[in-house]
Amino acid sequence: MTILYDGITELVTNDPAKGDGGALGVIADGAVLVDGEMIEWVGPRGDAPAADRHVDCGGVSVVPGFVDSHAHLVFAGERSAEFAARMSGRPYAAGGIATTVAATRTADDATLSAGVRRLAGELAAAGVTTFECKSGYGLNVEDEARSLRVAREYTGETTFLGAHVVPVEYRDDRAGYVDLVTGPMLDACAPLARWIDVFCDRGAFDVDESRAILTAGIEAGLQPRMHAGQLGPSAGIALAVELGAASVDHCTYATDADIEALAAGSTVATLLPGAEFSTRAPWPDARRMIDAGVTVAIATDCNPGSSFTTSMPFCIAVAVRDMNFTPAEALWAATAGGAAALRRDDVGMLAPGKRADFVCLDAPSYIHLAYRPGVPLIRDVVRAGQKI
Ligand code: NIG
Ligand code: FE
């Protein structure tokens, strides 16, 4: 059963071989032919092949579904009081994670699952058609494995983040905690995850601990990604490149040497506008990275501490306003960039053979995502050929 979607004033494909707009491959008065879950054809409406059904989108712009490559959705409770204190001047520190760990450990499975379901629903409503989900608020064998089991109900992109922080019961035995993460916790979690992540930053794990944890994860068959450079300069960025991590996330304090290393390597730099916004931190400068040739992604970092947003359009608007992305670069980073950060070649682009994931915007151009901040522009979301 094929469906032809037209009535698309501006179609962003992310296929540079198509249309105008460089990397975005923009087609004016475009059309998309979907066969089941997949895209069969994209092009100008006048060239469209015949289809079993026809849907007139009624004059919208269409962009690829957003790919959110960094989210922490398995947790209980919330930390609005911590946010309010921060907005009165208290700096953000990794210590707040312990509050969420305590709440998560006492929550039952149904509560954790309902929390992920709600946030996954918010992501979908915001145009996200692929998302990653980390553990990291369990920090013992049972609760990390349980977090990943819950995450797997909602996404295949699951990440073991036992190395989020050292939990309070191991405060005086960091080495013991690293042994736990690289031993019994990894054994329990590796079958449930695709990725392994470490928070390599002040108040979390140092670069030697991070190397040991990621190396053990790789040996267990997981692929590495990292948090680094959020709270200060971090050798973690160079480590991510050295280990061939798919992505190193935050990069708020990336140095010129880090950017040079990223440009020469295969690791995506994922920027998280919601985190700088909600922790009132300095903005990383995407311009420096993009101009140096780094592949840059934008993700929500949805979590109850540093970035409690599921809105990719909000992240795009902030990235453009405050991180020096152009609107075109920000849209690419939130779609194709996210796909690169998850090493996925089936999403992030509208082209034959890709998954039919796209978003209809109540706007004549994708530029409105940044130009009209805070306005609900997501009219329809199609994932794997199905309207959601
Ligand atoms: O990506 N940086 C580490 N982890 C999260 C914050 C977690 C929290 O504060 O609960 C982040 O920003
Ligand atoms: Fe994070």
Side-chain angles (χ1 to χ4, degrees), residues 70 72 79 92 97 100 137 164 199 227 230 250 275 301 303-306:
H70 185 140
H72 309 247
R79 283 152 54 198
Y92 175 78
I97 294 170
T100 302
Y137 293 115
H164 200 180
F199 183 18
H227 285 68
Q230 176 187 12
H250 288 285
D301 192 17
N303 76 80
S306 66

